Coordinates of all heavy atoms in Angstrom, one line a residue:
M8 N 18.4 -80.3 68.2 CA 18.1 -81.7 68.4 C 19.2 -82.5 69.1 O 18.9 -83.4 69.9 CB 17.7 -82.3 67.0 CG 17.1 -83.7 67.2 SD 15.6 -83.7 68.0 CE 14.9 -85.3 67.7
P9 N 20.5 -82.2 68.9 CA 21.5 -82.9 69.6 C 21.4 -82.8 71.1 O 21.6 -83.8 71.8 CB 22.8 -82.3 69.1 CG 22.5 -81.6 67.8 CD 21.0 -81.2 67.9
E10 N 20.9 -81.7 71.6 CA 20.7 -81.6 73.0 C 19.7 -82.5 73.6 O 19.8 -83.1 74.7 CB 20.4 -80.1 73.4 CG 21.5 -79.1 73.1 CD 21.5 -78.6 71.7 OE1 20.6 -78.9 70.9 OE2 22.5 -77.9 71.3
V11 N 18.6 -82.6 72.8 CA 17.5 -83.5 73.2 C 18.0 -85.0 73.2 O 17.7 -85.7 74.2 CB 16.3 -83.4 72.2 CG1 15.3 -84.5 72.5 CG2 15.7 -82.0 72.3
L12 N 18.7 -85.4 72.2 CA 19.3 -86.7 72.2 C 20.2 -87.0 73.3 O 20.2 -88.0 73.9 CB 19.9 -87.0 70.8 CG 19.0 -87.0 69.6 CD1 19.8 -87.2 68.3 CD2 17.9 -88.0 69.8
E13 N 21.1 -86.0 73.6 CA 22.0 -86.1 74.7 C 21.3 -86.2 76.1 O 21.6 -87.0 76.9 CB 23.0 -84.9 74.7 CG 24.1 -85.0 75.7 CD 25.0 -83.9 75.6 OE1 25.4 -83.4 74.5 OE2 25.4 -83.4 76.7
A14 N 20.3 -85.4 76.2 CA 19.5 -85.4 77.5 C 18.8 -86.7 77.6 O 18.7 -87.3 78.7 CB 18.5 -84.2 77.5
F15 N 18.3 -87.2 76.5 CA 17.5 -88.5 76.5 C 18.5 -89.6 76.9 O 18.2 -90.5 77.7 CB 16.9 -88.8 75.2 CG 16.1 -90.0 75.2 CD1 14.9 -90.2 76.0 CD2 16.5 -91.1 74.5 CE1 14.2 -91.3 76.0 CE2 15.8 -92.3 74.5 CZ 14.6 -92.4 75.2
A16 N 19.7 -89.6 76.3 CA 20.7 -90.6 76.7 C 21.1 -90.6 78.1 O 21.2 -91.6 78.8 CB 21.9 -90.5 75.8
A17 N 21.2 -89.4 78.6 CA 21.5 -89.2 80.1 C 20.4 -89.7 80.9 O 20.7 -90.3 82.0 CB 21.8 -87.7 80.4
R18 N 19.2 -89.5 80.5 CA 18.0 -90.0 81.3 C 18.0 -91.5 81.3 O 17.7 -92.1 82.3 CB 16.8 -89.4 80.6 CG 15.5 -89.4 81.5 CD 14.8 -90.7 81.4 NE 13.6 -90.8 82.2 CZ 13.3 -91.9 82.8 NH1 14.0 -93.0 82.6 NH2 12.2 -91.9 83.5
Q19 N 18.3 -92.1 80.1 CA 18.3 -93.6 80.1 C 19.4 -94.1 81.0 O 19.2 -95.1 81.7 CB 18.6 -94.0 78.6 CG 17.3 -93.9 77.7 CD 17.6 -94.4 76.3 OE1 18.6 -94.0 75.7 NE2 16.7 -95.2 75.8
Q20 N 20.6 -93.5 81.0 CA 21.7 -93.9 81.9 C 21.3 -93.8 83.3 O 21.6 -94.6 84.1 CB 23.0 -93.2 81.6 CG 24.2 -93.7 82.3 CD 24.5 -95.1 82.0 OE1 24.5 -95.5 80.9 NE2 24.6 -96.0 83.0
A21 N 20.6 -92.7 83.6 CA 20.2 -92.5 85.0 C 19.2 -93.6 85.4 O 19.3 -94.1 86.6 CB 19.5 -91.1 85.2
E22 N 18.3 -94.0 84.5 CA 17.4 -95.1 84.8 C 18.2 -96.4 85.1 O 17.9 -97.2 86.0 CB 16.4 -95.3 83.7 CG 15.4 -96.4 83.9 CD 14.4 -96.1 85.0 OE1 14.2 -94.9 85.3 OE2 13.9 -97.0 85.7
K23 N 19.2 -96.7 84.3 CA 20.0 -97.9 84.5 C 20.7 -97.9 85.8 O 20.8 -98.9 86.5 CB 21.0 -98.1 83.3 CG 20.4 -98.5 82.0 CD 21.5 -98.6 80.9 CE 20.8 -98.9 79.6 NZ 21.8 -99.0 78.5
D24 N 21.3 -96.7 86.1 CA 22.0 -96.5 87.4 C 21.1 -96.7 88.6 O 21.5 -97.4 89.5 CB 22.7 -95.1 87.4 CG 23.8 -94.9 86.4 OD1 24.2 -95.9 85.8 OD2 24.2 -93.8 86.2
A25 N 19.9 -96.2 88.5 CA 18.9 -96.4 89.5 C 18.5 -97.8 89.7 O 18.4 -98.3 90.8 CB 17.7 -95.5 89.3
Q26 N 18.3 -98.5 88.6 CA 18.0 -100.0 88.7 C 19.1 -100.8 89.3 O 18.9 -101.6 90.2 CB 17.6 -100.5 87.3 CG 16.3 -100.0 86.8 CD 16.1 -100.4 85.4 OE1 17.0 -100.9 84.7 NE2 14.9 -100.2 84.9
E27 N 20.3 -100.5 89.0 CA 21.5 -101.2 89.6 C 21.6 -100.8 91.1 O 21.9 -101.7 91.9 CB 22.8 -100.8 88.9 CG 24.0 -101.4 89.4 CD 24.0 -103.0 89.5 OE1 23.3 -103.6 88.7 OE2 24.7 -103.5 90.3
A28 N 21.4 -99.6 91.4 CA 21.4 -99.2 92.9 C 20.4 -99.9 93.6 O 20.6 -100.5 94.7 CB 21.3 -97.7 93.0
A29 N 19.2 -100.0 93.1 CA 18.1 -100.7 93.8 C 18.4 -102.2 93.9 O 18.1 -102.9 94.9 CB 16.8 -100.5 93.0
R30 N 19.0 -102.8 92.9 CA 19.4 -104.2 92.9 C 20.4 -104.4 94.0 O 20.3 -105.4 94.8 CB 20.0 -104.7 91.6 CG 20.2 -106.2 91.5 CD 20.9 -106.5 90.2 NE 22.3 -106.1 90.2 CZ 23.3 -106.7 90.8 NH1 23.1 -107.8 91.6 NH2 24.6 -106.3 90.8
Q31 N 21.4 -103.6 94.2 CA 22.4 -103.7 95.2 C 21.8 -103.6 96.6 O 22.1 -104.3 97.5 CB 23.5 -102.6 95.0 CG 24.4 -102.9 93.9 CD 25.2 -104.1 94.0 OE1 25.7 -104.4 95.1 NE2 25.5 -104.8 92.9
I32 N 20.8 -102.6 96.8 CA 20.1 -102.4 98.0 C 19.3 -103.7 98.4 O 19.4 -104.2 99.6 CB 19.2 -101.2 98.0 CG1 20.1 -99.9 97.9 CG2 18.3 -101.2 99.2 CD1 19.3 -98.7 97.6
R33 N 18.6 -104.3 97.4 CA 17.9 -105.5 97.7 C 18.8 -106.7 98.0 O 18.5 -107.5 98.9 CB 17.0 -105.9 96.5 CG 15.7 -105.0 96.4 CD 14.8 -105.6 95.4 NE 15.3 -105.6 94.0 CZ 15.3 -104.6 93.2 NH1 14.8 -103.5 93.5 NH2 15.9 -104.8 92.0
W34 N 19.9 -106.8 97.3 CA 20.9 -107.9 97.6 C 21.4 -107.8 99.0 O 21.5 -108.7 99.7 CB 22.0 -107.8 96.6 CG 23.0 -109.0 96.7 CD1 22.7 -110.2 97.3 CD2 24.3 -109.0 96.3 NE1 23.9 -111.0 97.2 CE2 24.9 -110.2 96.6 CE3 25.1 -108.0 95.6 CZ2 26.2 -110.6 96.3 CZ3 26.4 -108.4 95.3 CH2 26.9 -109.7 95.6
R35 N 21.8 -106.6 99.4 CA 22.2 -106.4 100.8 C 21.2 -106.8 101.8 O 21.4 -107.5 102.8 CB 22.7 -104.9 101.0 CG 23.2 -104.7 102.4 CD 23.6 -103.2 102.6 NE 24.7 -102.8 101.8 CZ 26.0 -102.8 102.1 NH1 26.4 -103.3 103.2 NH2 26.9 -102.4 101.2
A36 N 19.9 -106.3 101.6 CA 18.8 -106.7 102.5 C 18.6 -108.2 102.5 O 18.4 -108.7 103.6 CB 17.6 -105.9 102.1
D37 N 18.6 -108.8 101.4 CA 18.5 -110.3 101.3 C 19.6 -111.0 102.0 O 19.4 -112.0 102.7 CB 18.4 -110.7 99.9 CG 17.2 -110.4 99.1 OD1 16.2 -109.9 99.8 OD2 17.1 -110.6 97.9
A38 N 20.8 -110.4 101.9 CA 22.0 -111.0 102.6 C 21.8 -110.9 104.1 O 22.1 -111.9 104.9 CB 23.3 -110.4 102.1
V39 N 21.4 -109.8 104.6 CA 21.2 -109.6 106.0 C 20.1 -110.5 106.5 O 20.2 -111.2 107.6 CB 20.8 -108.1 106.3 CG1 20.3 -107.9 107.8 CG2 22.0 -107.2 106.1
L40 N 19.0 -110.6 105.8 CA 17.9 -111.6 106.1 C 18.5 -113.0 106.1 O 18.2 -113.8 107.1 CB 16.8 -111.4 105.2 CG 15.6 -112.4 105.4 CD1 15.1 -112.3 106.9 CD2 14.5 -112.0 104.4
G41 N 19.2 -113.3 105.1 CA 19.8 -114.7 105.0 C 20.7 -115.0 106.2 O 20.7 -116.1 106.8
R42 N 21.5 -114.0 106.6 CA 22.4 -114.2 107.8 C 21.5 -114.5 109.0 O 21.8 -115.4 109.8 CB 23.2 -113.0 108.0 CG 24.1 -113.1 109.3 CD 25.0 -111.9 109.4 NE 24.1 -110.7 109.6 CZ 24.6 -109.4 109.4 NH1 25.9 -109.2 109.1 NH2 23.8 -108.4 109.5
S43 N 20.4 -113.7 109.2 CA 19.6 -113.9 110.4 C 18.9 -115.3 110.3 O 18.7 -115.9 111.4 CB 18.5 -112.8 110.4 OG 19.1 -111.5 110.6
I44 N 18.5 -115.7 109.2 CA 17.9 -117.0 109.0 C 18.9 -118.1 109.4 O 18.5 -119.0 110.2 CB 17.3 -117.2 107.6 CG1 16.1 -116.3 107.4 CG2 17.0 -118.7 107.3 CD1 15.7 -116.2 105.9
L45 N 20.1 -118.0 108.9 CA 21.1 -119.0 109.3 C 21.4 -119.0 110.8 O 21.6 -120.1 111.3 CB 22.4 -118.7 108.5 CG 22.3 -119.1 107.0 CD1 23.5 -118.6 106.2 CD2 22.2 -120.6 106.8
Q46 N 21.4 -117.9 111.4 CA 21.6 -117.8 112.8 C 20.5 -118.5 113.6 O 20.7 -119.2 114.6 CB 21.8 -116.3 113.3 CG 23.1 -115.7 112.8 CD 23.2 -114.2 113.0 OE1 22.2 -113.5 113.2 NE2 24.4 -113.7 113.0
E47 N 19.3 -118.2 113.1 CA 18.1 -118.9 113.7 C 18.1 -120.4 113.5 O 17.8 -121.2 114.4 CB 16.8 -118.3 113.2 CG 15.6 -118.7 113.9 CD 15.5 -118.4 115.3 OE1 16.1 -117.3 115.8 OE2 14.9 -119.2 116.1
R48 N 18.5 -120.8 112.3 CA 18.6 -122.2 112.0 C 19.7 -122.9 112.9 O 19.5 -124.0 113.3 CB 19.0 -122.5 110.5 CG 18.1 -121.9 109.5 CD 17.1 -122.8 108.8 NE 17.3 -124.2 108.8 CZ 17.7 -124.9 107.8 NH1 18.1 -124.3 106.7 NH2 17.8 -126.2 107.9
D49 N 20.8 -122.2 113.2 CA 21.8 -122.7 114.1 C 21.2 -122.9 115.5 O 21.8 -123.8 116.3 CB 23.0 -121.7 114.2 CG 23.9 -121.8 113.0 OD1 23.7 -122.7 112.2 OD2 24.7 -120.9 112.8
K50 N 20.2 -122.2 115.9 CA 19.5 -122.4 117.2 C 18.6 -123.6 117.1 O 17.9 -124.0 118.1 CB 18.7 -121.2 117.5 CG 19.5 -120.0 117.8 CD 18.7 -118.8 118.1 CE 19.4 -117.5 118.1 NZ 18.6 -116.3 118.3
G51 N 18.4 -124.2 115.9 CA 17.6 -125.4 115.8 C 16.2 -125.2 115.2 O 15.4 -126.1 115.1
T52 N 15.9 -124.0 114.8 CA 14.6 -123.7 114.2 C 14.5 -124.2 112.8 O 15.4 -123.9 112.0 CB 14.3 -122.1 114.2 OG1 14.5 -121.6 115.5 CG2 12.9 -121.8 113.7
P53 N 13.5 -125.0 112.5 CA 13.5 -125.6 111.2 C 13.2 -124.5 110.1 O 12.5 -123.5 110.4 CB 12.3 -126.6 111.2 CG 12.0 -126.8 112.7 CD 12.5 -125.6 113.4
Q54 N 13.7 -124.8 108.9 CA 13.5 -123.8 107.8 C 12.0 -123.6 107.5 O 11.6 -122.5 107.3 CB 14.2 -124.4 106.6 CG 14.2 -123.5 105.4 CD 14.9 -124.1 104.2 OE1 14.5 -125.2 103.8 NE2 15.9 -123.4 103.7
G55 N 11.2 -124.7 107.6 CA 9.8 -124.5 107.3 C 9.1 -123.6 108.3 O 8.2 -122.8 108.0
E56 N 9.5 -123.6 109.6 CA 8.9 -122.8 110.6 C 9.3 -121.3 110.3 O 8.4 -120.4 110.4 CB 9.4 -123.2 112.0 CG 8.8 -122.3 113.1 CD 9.2 -122.7 114.5 OE1 9.6 -123.9 114.6 OE2 9.2 -121.9 115.4
I57 N 10.5 -121.1 109.9 CA 11.0 -119.7 109.6 C 10.2 -119.2 108.4 O 9.7 -118.1 108.4 CB 12.5 -119.7 109.3 CG1 13.3 -120.0 110.6 CG2 12.9 -118.3 108.7 CD1 14.7 -120.3 110.3
A58 N 10.0 -120.1 107.4 CA 9.2 -119.7 106.2 C 7.8 -119.3 106.6 O 7.3 -118.3 106.1 CB 9.2 -120.8 105.2
R59 N 7.2 -120.1 107.4 CA 5.8 -119.8 107.8 C 5.7 -118.4 108.6 O 4.8 -117.6 108.3 CB 5.2 -120.9 108.7 CG 4.7 -122.1 107.9 CD 4.0 -123.1 108.8 NE 4.8 -123.6 109.9 CZ 5.7 -124.5 109.8 NH1 5.9 -125.1 108.7 NH2 6.4 -124.9 110.9
K60 N 6.7 -118.2 109.4 CA 6.7 -117.0 110.3 C 6.8 -115.7 109.4 O 6.3 -114.7 109.8 CB 7.8 -117.0 111.3 CG 7.6 -118.0 112.4 CD 6.6 -117.6 113.4 CE 6.5 -118.6 114.5 NZ 5.6 -118.2 115.6
I61 N 7.6 -115.8 108.3 CA 7.8 -114.6 107.5 C 7.0 -114.6 106.2 O 7.1 -113.7 105.4 CB 9.3 -114.4 107.1 CG1 9.9 -115.5 106.3 CG2 10.1 -114.2 108.4 CD1 11.3 -115.2 105.8
G62 N 6.1 -115.6 106.1 CA 5.2 -115.6 105.0 C 5.8 -115.9 103.6 O 5.4 -115.4 102.6
R63 N 6.9 -116.8 103.7 CA 7.6 -117.1 102.4 C 7.6 -118.6 102.3 O 7.4 -119.4 103.3 CB 9.0 -116.6 102.4 CG 9.1 -115.1 102.5 CD 8.7 -114.5 101.2 NE 8.9 -113.1 101.1 CZ 7.9 -112.2 101.1 NH1 6.6 -112.6 101.2 NH2 8.1 -110.9 101.0
T64 N 8.0 -119.1 101.1 CA 8.2 -120.6 101.0 C 9.5 -121.0 101.5 O 10.4 -120.1 101.7 CB 8.0 -120.9 99.5 OG1 9.1 -120.4 98.8 CG2 6.7 -120.5 98.9
R65 N 9.7 -122.3 101.7 CA 11.0 -122.8 102.1 C 12.1 -122.4 101.0 O 13.2 -122.1 101.3 CB 11.0 -124.3 102.3 CG 10.2 -124.6 103.6 CD 10.1 -126.1 103.9 NE 11.5 -126.5 104.2 CZ 11.9 -127.8 104.1 NH1 11.1 -128.7 103.7 NH2 13.1 -128.1 104.4
E66 N 11.7 -122.5 99.7 CA 12.6 -122.2 98.6 C 13.0 -120.7 98.7 O 14.2 -120.4 98.5 CB 11.9 -122.4 97.3 CG 12.8 -122.1 96.1 CD 14.1 -122.8 96.0 OE1 14.2 -123.9 96.5 OE2 15.0 -122.3 95.3
Q67 N 12.1 -119.8 99.0 CA 12.5 -118.4 99.2 C 13.5 -118.2 100.4 O 14.4 -117.5 100.3 CB 11.3 -117.5 99.4 CG 10.4 -117.4 98.1 CD 9.1 -116.8 98.3 OE1 8.4 -117.2 99.2 NE2 8.8 -115.7 97.5
V68 N 13.2 -118.9 101.4 CA 14.1 -118.8 102.6 C 15.5 -119.4 102.2 O 16.5 -118.7 102.6 CB 13.5 -119.7 103.8 CG1 14.5 -119.9 104.9 CG2 12.3 -119.0 104.3
R69 N 15.5 -120.4 101.5 CA 16.8 -121.0 101.0 C 17.5 -119.9 100.2 O 18.7 -119.8 100.3 CB 16.6 -122.3 100.2 CG 17.9 -122.9 99.8 CD 17.7 -124.0 98.8 NE 17.2 -123.5 97.5 CZ 17.9 -122.8 96.6 NH1 19.2 -122.5 96.8 NH2 17.3 -122.5 95.5
R70 N 16.8 -119.2 99.3 CA 17.4 -118.2 98.5 C 18.0 -117.0 99.3 O 19.0 -116.5 98.9 CB 16.4 -117.7 97.4 CG 16.1 -118.7 96.4 CD 15.2 -118.1 95.3 NE 14.8 -119.1 94.4 CZ 13.6 -119.1 93.8 NH1 12.8 -118.1 93.9 NH2 13.3 -120.1 93.0
Y71 N 17.3 -116.7 100.4 CA 17.9 -115.7 101.3 C 19.2 -116.1 101.9 O 20.2 -115.4 102.0 CB 16.9 -115.3 102.4 CG 15.7 -114.6 101.9 CD1 14.4 -115.0 102.4 CD2 15.7 -113.5 101.0 CE1 13.3 -114.4 101.9 CE2 14.6 -112.9 100.6 CZ 13.3 -113.3 101.1 OH 12.2 -112.7 100.6
Q72 N 19.2 -117.4 102.3 CA 20.5 -117.9 102.8 C 21.6 -117.9 101.8 O 22.7 -117.6 102.0 CB 20.2 -119.4 103.3 CG 19.3 -119.4 104.5 CD 18.9 -120.9 104.8 OE1 19.3 -121.4 105.9 NE2 18.1 -121.5 104.0
D73 N 21.2 -118.3 100.5 CA 22.2 -118.3 99.4 C 22.7 -116.9 99.2 O 23.8 -116.6 98.8 CB 21.6 -118.9 98.2 CG 21.4 -120.4 98.2 OD1 22.0 -121.0 99.1 OD2 20.7 -120.9 97.4
A74 N 21.8 -115.9 99.3 CA 22.2 -114.5 99.0 C 23.2 -114.1 100.0 O 24.2 -113.4 99.7 CB 20.9 -113.6 99.2
Y75 N 23.1 -114.5 101.3 CA 24.1 -114.2 102.3 C 25.4 -114.9 101.9 O 26.5 -114.2 102.0 CB 23.6 -114.7 103.7 CG 24.7 -114.5 104.7 CD1 25.2 -113.3 105.1 CD2 25.2 -115.7 105.4 CE1 26.1 -113.1 106.1 CE2 26.2 -115.5 106.4 CZ 26.6 -114.3 106.7 OH 27.6 -114.1 107.7
R76 N 25.4 -116.1 101.6 CA 26.6 -116.8 101.2 C 27.3 -116.2 100.0 O 28.5 -116.0 99.9 CB 26.3 -118.3 101.0 CG 26.0 -119.0 102.2 CD 25.7 -120.5 101.9 NE 25.2 -121.2 103.1 CZ 23.9 -121.7 103.2 NH1 23.1 -121.6 102.2 NH2 23.5 -122.3 104.3
D77 N 26.5 -115.8 99.0 CA 27.0 -115.2 97.8 C 27.6 -113.8 98.1 O 28.6 -113.4 97.6 CB 25.9 -115.0 96.8 CG 25.4 -116.3 96.2 OD1 26.1 -117.3 96.3 OD2 24.3 -116.3 95.6
W78 N 26.9 -113.1 99.0 CA 27.5 -111.8 99.5 C 28.9 -112.0 100.0 O 29.8 -111.2 99.7 CB 26.5 -111.2 100.5 CG 27.1 -109.9 101.0 CD1 28.0 -109.7 102.0 CD2 26.8 -108.6 100.5 NE1 28.2 -108.4 102.2 CE2 27.5 -107.7 101.3 CE3 25.9 -108.1 99.5 CZ2 27.4 -106.3 101.1 CZ3 25.8 -106.7 99.3 CH2 26.6 -105.8 100.1
L79 N 29.0 -112.9 100.9 CA 30.3 -113.2 101.6 C 31.4 -113.5 100.5 O 32.5 -113.0 100.6 CB 30.3 -114.3 102.6 CG 29.4 -114.0 103.9 CD1 29.4 -115.2 104.8 CD2 30.0 -112.8 104.6
K80 N 31.1 -114.3 99.6 CA 32.0 -114.7 98.5 C 32.4 -113.5 97.7 O 33.6 -113.3 97.4 CB 31.4 -115.8 97.6 CG 31.3 -117.1 98.2 CD 30.7 -118.1 97.2 CE 30.3 -119.4 97.9 NZ 29.5 -120.3 97.1
E81 N 31.4 -112.7 97.3 CA 31.6 -111.5 96.4 C 32.3 -110.4 97.2 O 33.0 -109.6 96.5 CB 30.2 -111.1 95.9 CG 30.3 -110.2 94.8 CD 30.8 -110.8 93.5 OE1 30.6 -112.0 93.3 OE2 31.3 -110.1 92.6
H82 N 32.2 -110.3 98.5 CA 32.8 -109.2 99.2 C 33.9 -109.7 100.2 O 34.2 -109.1 101.2 CB 31.7 -108.5 100.0 CG 30.7 -107.8 99.2 ND1 29.6 -108.4 98.7 CD2 30.7 -106.5 98.7 CE1 28.9 -107.6 97.9 NE2 29.6 -106.4 97.9
D83 N 34.6 -110.8 99.8 CA 35.8 -111.3 100.5 C 35.5 -111.5 102.0 O 36.3 -111.1 102.9 CB 37.0 -110.3 100.3 CG 37.5 -110.3 98.9 OD1 37.4 -111.3 98.2 OD2 37.8 -109.2 98.4
G84 N 34.4 -112.0 102.3 CA 34.0 -112.3 103.7 C 33.5 -111.2 104.5 O 33.2 -111.3 105.7
T85 N 33.4 -110.0 103.9 CA 32.9 -108.8 104.6 C 31.4 -108.9 104.8 O 30.7 -109.2 103.9 CB 33.2 -107.5 103.9 OG1 34.6 -107.4 103.7 CG2 32.7 -106.3 104.6
E86 N 31.0 -108.8 106.1 CA 29.6 -108.9 106.4 C 28.8 -107.7 105.8 O 29.2 -106.6 105.8 CB 29.4 -108.9 107.9 CG 29.9 -110.1 108.6 CD 29.1 -111.4 108.4 OE1 27.8 -111.3 108.2 OE2 29.6 -112.5 108.5
P87 N 27.5 -108.0 105.4 CA 26.7 -106.9 105.0 C 26.2 -106.1 106.3 O 26.0 -106.7 107.3 CB 25.5 -107.6 104.4 CG 25.4 -109.0 105.0 CD 26.9 -109.3 105.3
D88 N 26.1 -104.9 106.2 CA 25.7 -104.0 107.3 C 24.2 -103.9 107.4 O 23.6 -103.8 106.4 CB 26.4 -102.7 107.3 CG 27.9 -102.8 107.4 OD1 28.4 -103.8 108.0 OD2 28.6 -102.0 106.8

């Protein structure tokens, strides 16, 4: 039985690791999108227009921009690739 419990614990840890990896991948993708949105906004495109084009709300667009800013803070200014 100890082997079963150990294997089960390893499986649970693998699930947690996978969830964290997925969270990091999504955060990077959100940051890249946020950077693109900010670049488009610098060209004068309104946030509402961007939101409509990508099928999101203005609040969601704002969150993507925040994800980019948070990424820069968390990674000492290093751009997401």
Side-chain angles (χ1 to χ4, degrees):
M8 189 65 166
E10 294 84 9
V11 171
L12 295 176
E13 186 177 318
F15 182 68
R18 199 271 181 216
Q19 286 181 309
Q20 186 60 50
E22 183 66 28
K23 287 180 186 178
D24 293 347
Q26 289 173 349
E27 178 59 23
R30 188 186 72 76
Q31 290 292 325
I32 291 166
R33 281 191 301 274
W34 184 24
R35 181 182 297 268
D37 287 351
V39 169
L40 177 55
R42 177 180 59 198
S43 295
I44 289 169
L45 286 169
Q46 290 169 344
E47 188 61 32
R48 302 258 343 257
D49 285 346
K50 295 176 187 175
T52 306
Q54 189 181 55
E56 183 179 335
I57 294 168
R59 280 189 302 280
K60 292 281 185 180
I61 65 173
R63 297 290 185 251
T64 65
R65 289 182 65 201
E66 177 62 23
Q67 288 169 310
V68 168
R69 185 192 63 74
R70 287 184 190 151
Y71 293 132
Q72 294 171 111
D73 288 345
Y75 174 64
R76 292 181 187 115
D77 292 345
W78 177 276
L79 292 177
K80 287 178 191 173
E81 197 67 29
H82 293 88
D83 297 321
T85 302
E86 293 286 332
D88 297 329

